[in-house]
Amino acid sequence: MSNKVIKEAKLNTSEKKKPSKQRLEQTTGTGKSLGARTILIAIGVIVVLIACIYVGVDQMSPKVVVTVDDQKYTLSDVGYYIYQGEMQGNYMASFYAQMGTDYWNGELDDEGTTGADQTADSVMSEITRYATIYREAVAKGYSATDEDKKTAQEETDSLIKNLSTKQKLITGLSEKELYNTILDKTIAERYRKDVITSLKVDYKKATKDITKKDYKQYDFQYYFVSTQTTDDKGNEVNMSDDQKAELKTKIEEIAKKAKTEKDFTKLIGEDEQTIQFNEDGQLLAKDVGDESAGFDAKLDTKITKMKKDEISEVLEGENGYYVIKLTDNTSTKSYDDAIESAKNTADTEAFDKEYTDNIEPNHTTTVNYDEWENIPFGSYCS
């Protein structure tokens, strides 16, 4: 019952409690009239109680946030997706915070869109997509297999371990709720993979521009000392020739040590502040000369000409001095990863087209924005 009904019920009760003076004079001392008045008051009280109970139950009942076909999804059914969306949003928020921007509440574009808005849209898109795929899978005869259940339970167990005690009490994040949602998604994902297989994606076409020559990989470790500093205005500038000469002498000692020490990774002490060590240097042949991916053209070329386990002399780059050890030039990991990525992209594109053309049109989706817009993204699962 609406608040309006409650108000009217209260008004009616109030009117029965305050009869006119004339009415009081007529009924004073007459038991029959007093009984009637009492009954009317009781009826009014009951009406108010019923209204309050109705509103209370309505407030406590699960709210439907989206309906796909005849399947209603409440907050309990989509907590998993909200949690995943918030974790991704928190990752973005950390970057925006470095720029002094509140990702969740700050306006990110000219239309006033906030990070909370973006996350809400993204999460709802994910919910409706997987719910639709799941409904299509069920229509095609799919149901949970033992392997599906095992996969869903493993993912649930892993997720539960990462939840705080507070988060475990949030609607939709109990173990049972998470398991049920993840199981449905697992079935949907199995169906998606089967559809992709049936589409016979042309992987040869998808990977034709990826060559082993371009993705030849050079892995190396290096010591580095910067020859740049910051001026009074905060701008990065080159050091003086005397300063650079002093630093070069210092890193030449590292190059000298490297010729006799067995462990290239331990040529400086823990207290060393000027010289830096990096053990994860990597360069691809296609990136030689690309400063956004490597060092600079001159330095990149020297690296590609080194032999495995070779240690360089002191090399000068545009922003400092280096001593480099080439650890491997035979790995195909970058090439393999590029091939795999291209195939996954082709799979996604093929399924997206199939979904748009032949799956989504078979189902009806209705979002209850009155409820969805009340979810406080940015704090719901934090």
Side-chain angles (χ1 to χ4, degrees):
M1 180 177 290
S2 67
N3 291 331
K4 182 179 178 182
V5 175
I6 298 173
K7 184 177 179 181
E8 289 174 348
K10 288 181 178 179
L11 286 174
N12 289 338
T13 303
S14 177
E15 290 171 2
K16 296 302 179 182
K17 286 183 177 180
K18 296 181 180 179
S20 66
K21 183 177 180 180
Q22 182 180 2
R23 179 63 175 169
L24 285 171
E25 291 174 350
Q26 292 175 344
T27 59
T28 299
T30 58
K32 182 177 180 182
S33 296
L34 182 60
R37 181 161 62 91
T38 302
I39 291 173
L40 289 175
I41 292 173
I43 291 173
V45 171
I46 291 172
V47 170
V48 172
L49 287 174
I50 291 174
C52 290
I53 292 171
Y54 180 88
V55 172
V57 171
D58 180 65
Q59 291 295 321
M60 295 176 64
S61 61
K63 303 297 183 181
V64 175
V65 293
V66 63
T67 303
V68 179
D69 299 334
D70 60 348
Q71 181 67 49
K72 299 181 185 298
Y73 292 88
T74 67
L75 197 58
S76 297
D77 301 318
V78 300
Y80 166 83
Y81 293 101
I82 294 175
Y83 172 80
Q84 297 289 1
E86 285 220 352
M87 293 304 100
Q88 180 63 32
N90 286 336
Y91 179 75
M92 294 295 296
S94 65
F95 286 100
Y96 275 86
Q98 296 175 17
M99 299 182 288
T101 301
D102 181 353
Y103 172 77
W104 289 111
N105 301 303
E107 296 183 358
L108 307 182
D109 57 30
D110 294 337
E111 297 179 357
T113 306
T114 66
D117 296 332
Q118 288 186 349
T119 302
D121 290 344
S122 176
V123 171
M124 180 50 69
S125 177
E126 188 82 350
I127 292 169
T128 56
R129 181 179 175 83
Y130 269 106
T132 299
I133 296 172
Y134 172 74
R135 297 292 294 174
E136 182 74 8
V138 171
K140 291 291 193 298
Y142 280 65
S143 60
T145 63
D146 290 341
E147 186 62 29
D148 290 335
K149 294 175 183 178
K150 179 182 177 182
T151 299
Q153 189 61 60
E154 288 175 350
E155 185 175 343
T156 300
D157 292 343
S158 176
L159 185 54
I160 286 292
K161 289 181 181 179
N162 294 323
L163 294 180
S164 66
T165 301
K166 177 183 175 181
Q167 288 173 333
K168 291 176 182 178
L169 299 176
I170 294 174
T171 300
L173 296 185
S174 72
E175 181 175 357
K176 181 179 180 180
E177 291 167 332
L178 287 171
Y179 173 79
N180 289 336
T181 302
I182 293 172
L183 180 60
D184 286 356
K185 184 179 178 182
T186 301
I187 295 170
E189 186 61 24
R190 177 161 59 88
Y191 173 71
R192 188 185 77 88
K193 290 179 180 179
D194 288 346
V195 170
I196 290 172
T197 299
S198 71
L199 295 175
K200 301 186 184 303
V201 179
D202 188 348
Y203 293 132
K204 185 176 181 180
K205 179 180 179 181
T207 61
K208 65 182 179 64
D209 295 327
I210 301 173
T211 66
K212 289 185 177 180
K213 180 180 178 181
D214 285 343
Y215 282 85
K216 182 173 177 57
Q217 179 177 324
Y218 301 88
D219 297 327
F220 55 93
Q221 301 170 336
Y222 65 93
Y223 289 91
F224 167 72
V225 59
S226 175
T227 55
Q228 294 186 319
T229 187
T230 304
D231 63 17
D232 295 338
K233 297 181 180 179
N235 299 315
E236 199 168 50
V237 296
N238 291 324
M239 292 181 177
S240 67
D241 289 343
D242 288 343
Q243 290 174 314
K244 290 171 68 175
E246 184 179 343
L247 292 173
K248 186 175 182 181
T249 298
K250 191 170 185 178
I251 200 168
E252 282 176 340
E253 290 296 320
I254 298 299
K256 184 178 179 180
K257 276 186 180 181
K259 293 180 179 180
T260 57
E261 294 290 336
K262 293 182 179 180
D263 191 343
F264 183 78
T265 68
K266 297 180 179 179
L267 302 181
I268 58 174
E270 294 181 359
D271 297 331
E272 176 60 58
Q273 299 294 320
T274 305
I275 300 176
Q276 304 169 29
F277 175 70
N278 189 311
E279 62 180 348
D280 297 319
Q282 187 180 95
L283 176 68
L284 300 181
K286 70 182 184 66
D287 294 328
V288 170
D290 181 354
E291 293 185 15
S292 65
F295 296 115
D296 57 65
K298 185 178 178 181
L299 201 57
D300 287 349
T301 299
K302 288 182 177 180
I303 292 173
T304 61
K305 292 182 178 180
M306 293 176 67
K307 297 178 181 179
K308 186 177 182 298
D309 294 327
E310 180 182 349
I311 299 174
S312 74
E313 298 294 337
V314 174
L315 302 176
E316 183 175 5
E318 292 182 355
N319 62 345
Y321 296 110
Y322 298 82
V323 175
I324 298 172
K325 178 181 179 179
L326 188 72
T327 55
D328 193 9
N329 58 3
T330 61
S331 174
T332 63
K333 184 177 186 306
S334 292
Y335 172 76
D336 296 337
D337 288 348
I339 291 291
E340 187 67 20
S341 178
K343 288 181 176 180
N344 288 338
T345 298
D347 285 345
T348 299
E349 292 175 351
F351 182 80
D352 285 351
K353 186 177 187 308
E354 179 68 13
Y355 176 82
T356 301
D357 293 346
N358 300 314
I359 297 177
E360 189 176 28
N362 299 333
H363 306 275
T364 302
T365 300
T366 304
V367 179
N368 183 359
Y369 287 104
D370 288 340
E371 292 298 331
W372 187 244
E373 291 176 355
N374 287 329
I375 297 175
F377 279 96
S379 61
Y380 185 81
C381 299
S382 299

